[in-house]
Amino acid sequence: MAILRKNRVSTPTSSPSRNDASIKTPAPVQRSTSTGVSKNNNKFNPRLIFSQIVALQSLNYLVLSFMFQMNSVLYGYNVTIDRIFTAKHLNLWTKEGRIDAMTIIFSSLVGSLLMVVVVEKSKKCLDFATTNVIVHFIICVLYGGMSVLHSLDFWIVHVFGVIVMVILGEYLCSKMELMDIPLL
């Protein structure tokens, strides 16, 4: 009786012996301790990608909210959700607007550190950073209307923030990928 296996080259007429060299056993799959997924498994996983997008977006808004709260304590500005989702306070010609712009840029710096933790791959940093800004733009349009389309300051600050997030995120992720693997 012939036993058919995936890795078998030919089917013998008699039952295989234990020392048969033609039977190849598959190599054990190395599993990551953090996710339980094979390191070599680069298959398309929409659940993982969606959860990474949600995590990155949520953490980005958490950091941005915390930074605007710190601005309220340091400079005495009102904390409103309009600072995050509208271009009303984002004017580069005023002191308050420049502080809000620097807060968004600093949030992008922290976002690149978050990409090292959440995304972990330098190839995916551009995708996740642009997705982050596109989702933020859609939320801004839904919250405040089309006024963000007409604000040049909004576009300057957010495009510069994406550039910073992508370049620093790719650099940090590549440094993380090139680190030595610890031996047990």
Side-chain angles (χ1 to χ4, degrees):
M1 181 159 106
I3 300 173
L4 298 177
R5 291 190 183 178
K6 260 186 179 177
N7 296 332
R8 179 165 297 204
V9 178
S10 63
T11 57
T13 55
S14 63
S15 63
S17 64
R18 291 190 183 265
N19 295 333
D20 192 5
S22 67
I23 299 176
K24 296 179 183 177
T25 58
V29 177
Q30 295 178 352
R31 301 227 178 244
S32 170
T33 56
S34 62
T35 58
V37 178
S38 170
K39 293 266 185 191
N40 297 329
N41 191 0
N42 291 329
K43 293 181 181 176
F44 177 68
N45 188 352
R47 287 184 185 176
L48 175 65
I49 293 170
F50 181 74
S51 63
Q52 286 174 327
I53 290 170
V54 169
L56 191 64
Q57 197 78 32
S58 300
L59 290 171
N60 191 26
Y61 284 137
L62 183 70
V63 166
L64 197 56
S65 300
F66 177 74
M67 287 181 190
F68 278 123
Q69 184 66 33
M70 292 304 297
N71 283 349
S72 171
V73 171
L74 294 175
Y75 302 109
Y77 297 141
N78 294 333
V79 178
T80 64
I81 200 165
D82 289 345
R83 291 196 184 272
I84 296 174
F85 296 118
T86 63
K88 184 175 19 175
H89 299 282
L90 194 59
N91 184 359
L92 294 177
W93 301 107
T94 64
K95 179 183 175 189
E96 183 179 352
R98 285 191 298 270
I99 290 172
D100 286 351
M102 294 310 296
T103 302
I104 292 170
I105 300 300
F106 190 70
S107 172
S108 297
L109 290 171
V110 175
S112 64
L113 294 172
L114 291 173
M115 277 201 291
V116 173
V117 175
V118 175
V119 178
E120 297 176 345
K121 300 285 182 191
S122 60
K123 291 181 184 180
K124 297 180 180 180
C125 287
L126 176 64
D127 300 335
F128 279 92
T130 53
T131 303
N132 190 12
V133 161
I134 290 170
V135 169
H136 177 66
F137 172 71
I138 290 169
I139 292 172
C140 288
V141 167
L142 291 175
Y143 179 79
M146 295 294 194
S147 65
V148 294
L149 292 175
H150 306 295
S151 173
L152 184 63
D153 296 335
F154 178 87
W155 289 108
I156 290 171
V157 169
H158 284 87
V159 167
F160 185 71
V162 165
I163 292 170
V164 167
M165 186 185 274
V166 168
I167 291 173
L168 188 60
E170 284 185 359
Y171 174 75
L172 293 173
C173 285
S174 67
K175 283 291 189 185
M176 190 69 121
E177 289 173 352
L178 294 175
M179 286 178 52
D180 291 334
I181 299 171
L183 299 174
L184 297 176

